[in-house]
Amino acid sequence: MVFYRSVSLLSKLRNRVVQQPSLSNSVRWLQIQTSSDLDLHSQLKELIPEQQERLKKIKSEYGKVQLGNITVDMVLGGMRGMTGLLWETSLLDPDEGIRFRGLSIPECQKLLPAAKPGGEPLPEGLLWLLLTGKVPTKEQVDALSKELRSRATIPDHVYKAVDALPVTAHPMTQFTTGVMALQVQSEFSKAYEKGIHKSKYWEPTYEDSLSLIAQVPAVAAYVYRRMYKNGERIPMDDSLDYGGNFAHMLGFDGPEMQELMRLYVTIHSDHEGGNVSAHTGHLVASALSDPYLSFAAALNGLAGPLHGLANQEVLLWIKSVVDECGENITKDQLKDYVWKTLNSGKVVPGFGHGVLRKTDPRYMCQREFALKHLPNDPLFQLVSKLYDVVPPILTELGKVKNPWPNVDAHSGVLLNYYGLTEARYYTVLFGVSRAIGICSQLIWDRALGLPLERPKSVTMEWLENHCKKSA
């Protein structure tokens, strides 16, 4: 891992260090802030020059080093396994799962500030971590929460833009429309039109990104209230944090639902740069499109059935199991239903992953939440049975590299338990979460001066001729 380096903030920061194991079992030193500096922007401003120099050094010293061989299978297989992007905020290991700036999900749960002792991590803390590579103090997280609330006002034209759509339009269509309507306030767009030096691109990008992160929960909540609660808006509560306020504006004020939303937003925020939504956001932003345009494009990728839409498919499939077989289904009956699904040419949603080769840690932390708060819920018990039944069947098929459950296999059951039963809306929750990861990396894209993305494409004829010459 190379995310953590000492930075020259001695005038403002005092650091204590804790030793954590890295992916290679070597020693990694994690800096945990204990300073009274509450301004995220100023800390980022001091970090950037060192990281710019670091990137220059990598390019000058290692620019010609090969990272691997590209095969025809990779070109035809969605570029899987092909290393081709710089993404600083997170790294996905096939066996250990996601690490946010080097921290696993269990480590984040232990180290990031929570709303209450022993509670789930606050998403604001993860945002600070992704941007600075440092674990913030509770005071710094509280200050960031306050700043995000100050940026969260939604202009009336955004609601009007959403209202122009049929109320039956898919929630992601309405959500993306709202994000696009926010674009008229883009500070980056205004600064670029006036003329701004490229070394300063990151500053209006930062302003846009924090405002976008602050505003998407309110837009998302409006879509939910418009579709399912007669359009009655619930104002933000200035006493609540980011995740708690999102639950509140949706209409859920129970403390457990607020804790679930904090966990949900945190674990769905980032999953390195190669997934469809993250890559789309990075690609569009590489053309110097502002964060609103870039994130709206990312949302359209997230809305696809093979990406974010899968979380709604899981709950719908689980409910179809209950409708046909009842809540007290045995494992043998469940095996028969799984085979029935597979033999009909469909997949069992919520299992498998493009990179992971073990059970998704995001699934496991949601399972732990369920064991703590809803161990007797029939749908949770059904999910537990699926965990035992599905992987052996997928392994028997021999066509799946990863038969284990992913993040989508569990989230719908938790949301359903607390009353958010509208599965069609679930991808919007995913989208709100992704704003934190995509926008954090976008700020660093601009700070590091990353170029326009332009890979080479080829035709089948070119592949045939090239392979014949190489034979």
Side-chain angles (χ1 to χ4, degrees), residues 177-405:
T177 298
V179 171
M180 285 295 294
L182 287 170
Q183 190 275 339
V184 298
Q185 68 186 16
S186 171
E187 294 297 327
F188 180 86
S189 180
K190 295 172 186 175
Y192 190 84
E193 286 183 9
K194 291 179 180 178
I196 180 175
H197 194 276
K198 62 183 180 180
S199 65
K200 300 292 184 181
Y201 282 171
W202 77 268
E203 296 198 49
T205 299
Y206 174 92
E207 294 301 321
D208 280 356
S209 294
L210 257 68
S211 294
L212 175 59
I213 290 168
Q215 291 172 313
V216 288
V219 175
Y222 180 67
V223 171
Y224 180 77
R225 303 295 299 180
R226 178 176 187 254
M227 292 188 69
Y228 306 114
K229 305 296 177 182
N230 300 316
E232 298 174 3
R233 266 188 273 165
I234 299 175
M236 182 177 59
D237 184 340
D238 285 337
S239 70
L240 289 173
D241 57 274
Y242 190 84
N245 242 321
F246 188 23
H248 165 72
M249 288 187 291
L250 288 168
F252 302 95
D253 287 317
E256 287 186 11
M257 180 58 166
Q258 291 179 357
E259 277 288 274
L260 174 60
M261 197 58 67
R262 293 171 186 126
L263 176 65
Y264 185 100
V265 172
T266 296
I267 66 174
H268 284 81
S269 63
D270 203 27
H271 217 231
E272 74 169 29
N275 63 77
V276 170
S277 55
H279 187 193
T280 301
H282 171 81
L283 170 64
V284 174
S286 77
L288 295 186
S289 298
D290 63 61
Y292 297 95
L293 296 174
S294 303
F295 183 63
L299 288 177
N300 286 326
L302 189 69
L306 295 182
H307 191 18
L309 203 67
N311 60 3
Q312 78 173 41
E313 298 302 319
V314 171
L315 184 63
L316 295 176
W317 184 82
I318 289 174
K319 288 188 173 181
S320 74
V321 175
V322 174
D323 289 343
E324 185 166 327
C325 306
E327 289 182 344
N328 297 318
I329 184 173
T330 66
K331 287 186 178 181
D332 286 338
Q333 290 175 309
L334 193 53
K335 287 179 183 178
D336 291 340
Y337 194 89
V338 170
W339 277 114
K340 176 183 175 182
T341 298
L342 295 171
N343 290 333
S344 68
K346 300 177 182 178
V347 299
V348 178
F351 286 79
H353 192 273
V355 177
L356 286 169
R357 295 296 174 260
K358 296 288 181 65
T359 300
D360 193 333
R362 299 173 298 173
Y363 171 93
M364 294 306 298
C365 71
Q366 291 181 98
R367 175 172 172 78
E368 290 167 4
F369 187 96
L371 287 169
K372 179 179 178 181
H373 296 291
L374 49 138
N376 298 318
D377 177 60
L379 289 186
F380 166 59
Q381 292 178 345
L382 176 54
V383 166
S384 296
K385 292 175 184 176
L386 286 169
Y387 183 66
D388 294 330
V389 167
V390 174
I393 292 177
L394 295 181
T395 301
E396 182 180 338
L397 280 176
K399 299 179 181 180
V400 180
K401 292 182 179 179
N402 172 23
W404 304 105

Side-chain angles (χ1 to χ4, degrees), residues 15-213:
N15 295 308
R16 60 185 175 88
V17 293
V18 295
Q19 190 171 318
Q20 298 286 351
S22 73
L23 295 177
S24 59
N25 294 320
S26 62
V27 173
R28 173 167 56 81
W29 297 99
L30 170 67
Q31 293 186 329
I32 300 181
Q33 298 187 176
T34 57
S35 90
S36 58
D37 188 349
L38 305 180
D39 183 23
L40 177 59
H41 182 275
S42 66
Q43 294 210 17
L44 193 59
K45 188 173 184 178
E46 294 203 39
L47 283 166
I48 285 171
E50 180 183 281
Q51 297 306 308
Q52 290 172 332
E53 290 301 314
R54 180 180 168 201
L55 183 64
K56 289 179 183 177
K57 185 177 181 180
I58 291 173
K59 290 175 70 176
S60 64
E61 294 185 7
Y62 308 117
K64 303 303 181 184
V65 174
Q66 293 187 356
L67 297 180
N69 296 317
I70 297 175
T71 66
V72 174
D73 279 343
M74 290 177 175
V75 174
L76 300 180
M79 298 192 290
R80 290 173 187 262
M82 188 185 298
T83 300
L85 290 172
L86 180 66
W87 194 268
E88 284 289 278
T89 52
S90 64
L91 186 68
L92 181 59
D93 180 84
D95 295 317
E96 292 198 3
I98 195 66
R99 283 182 177 266
F100 303 116
R101 290 285 190 173
L103 290 182
S104 68
I105 287 177
E107 288 170 337
C108 285
Q109 288 178 297
K110 292 177 182 177
L111 293 172
L112 292 179
K116 62 181 183 179
E120 301 298 340
L122 292 165
E124 299 93 316
L126 185 73
L127 173 58
W128 190 293
L129 173 67
L130 295 183
L131 282 173
T132 69
K134 294 177 178 291
V135 174
T137 65
K138 182 63 163 62
E139 292 74 21
Q140 288 166 329
V141 169
D142 288 344
L144 182 54
S145 292
K146 184 177 180 180
E147 179 179 358
L148 291 174
R149 287 195 297 271
S150 73
R151 293 172 177 261
T153 301
I154 307 298
D156 286 341
H157 75 264
V158 174
Y159 297 121
K160 292 177 181 177
V162 176
D163 286 342
L165 295 169
V167 72
T168 55
H170 194 280
M172 284 297 286
T173 302
Q174 298 188 47
F175 183 38
T176 307
T177 298
V179 171
M180 285 295 294
L182 287 170
Q183 190 275 339
V184 298
Q185 68 186 16
S186 171
E187 294 297 327
F188 180 86
S189 180
K190 295 172 186 175
Y192 190 84
E193 286 183 9
K194 291 179 180 178
I196 180 175
H197 194 276
K198 62 183 180 180
S199 65
K200 300 292 184 181
Y201 282 171
W202 77 268
E203 296 198 49
T205 299
Y206 174 92
E207 294 301 321
D208 280 356
S209 294
L210 257 68
S211 294
L212 175 59
I213 290 168

